[in-house]
Amino acid sequence: MSRRYHLTLAEQETVILWDNELDTASVYTHDQRLINKLKALSEKYPDQYRLERRGQQRAVTYTVPKKSIGIRPPYGESRRQRDIENARKNGLPFMKPLQEEQDVER
C-alpha cells in the first residue's frame, strides 16, 4: 500500500527564475492565491502569461513578463490603513477589470 506524501508549508515554495537575457521570468509556485492570479492573467493575456507545466502537489510553472514582477519597500502602518479603507470603498484595483468583464457577461 503506498501513501501519498504531502508537502509541509515550508516545502510549498514559490520560486522566481530571472534570466538577464530574456524579457520573461519563470514562476514556480504551490501558493493557491498566486496560482489563481496567474490563471486569471493567463486567460486575459494568453500571449504574455503562459502556463508551462503542472507539477506534483498542485504546483504550476508560468512564464510571465519581467515587468510584472516587483520588489517594493514595506508599507508603513498609515499607508496600509489608507489602502485598506480604499479597497473597502473601491475594491481591489487588479480585480476591477475581471469583475467588470464578469458583470458584462451576466
Side-chain angles (χ1 to χ4, degrees):
M1 186 187 319
S2 75
R3 297 178 112 188
R4 187 169 179 182
Y5 176 73
H6 293 283
L7 297 175
T8 65
L9 288 177
E11 292 171 318
Q12 295 177 26
E13 61 191 0
T14 295
V15 178
I16 301 171
L17 299 176
W18 189 278
D19 183 336
N20 285 332
E21 289 186 20
L22 301 175
D23 292 333
T24 59
S26 177
V27 179
Y28 167 85
T29 188
H30 288 267
D31 184 309
Q32 193 60 50
R33 290 178 302 164
L34 183 53
I35 291 169
N36 293 342
K37 287 181 185 179
L38 290 167
K39 182 179 179 189
L41 288 166
S42 72
E43 289 170 356
K44 185 164 182 163
Y45 307 103
D47 56 324
Q48 295 181 49
Y49 294 83
R50 292 184 313 274
L51 174 63
E52 297 297 335
R53 72 182 141 270
R54 293 185 188 279
Q56 296 179 350
Q57 307 282 338
R58 297 185 314 210
V60 295
T61 303
Y62 277 85
T63 299
V64 303
K66 280 185 181 176
K67 63 185 174 187
S68 67
I69 298 174
I71 298 173
R72 58 172 171 67
Y75 283 171
E77 188 58 29
S78 62
R79 179 176 176 188
R80 187 175 160 280
Q81 289 302 322
R82 187 175 63 241
D83 287 351
I84 287 170
E85 288 304 315
N86 189 30
R88 283 185 181 141
K89 284 195 295 188
N90 303 315
L92 298 171
F94 62 86
M95 294 301 289
K96 278 193 179 277
L98 296 175
Q99 290 170 344
E100 289 169 2
E101 285 180 14
Q102 290 171 354
D103 291 342
V104 169
E105 291 174 1
R106 291 180 191 170

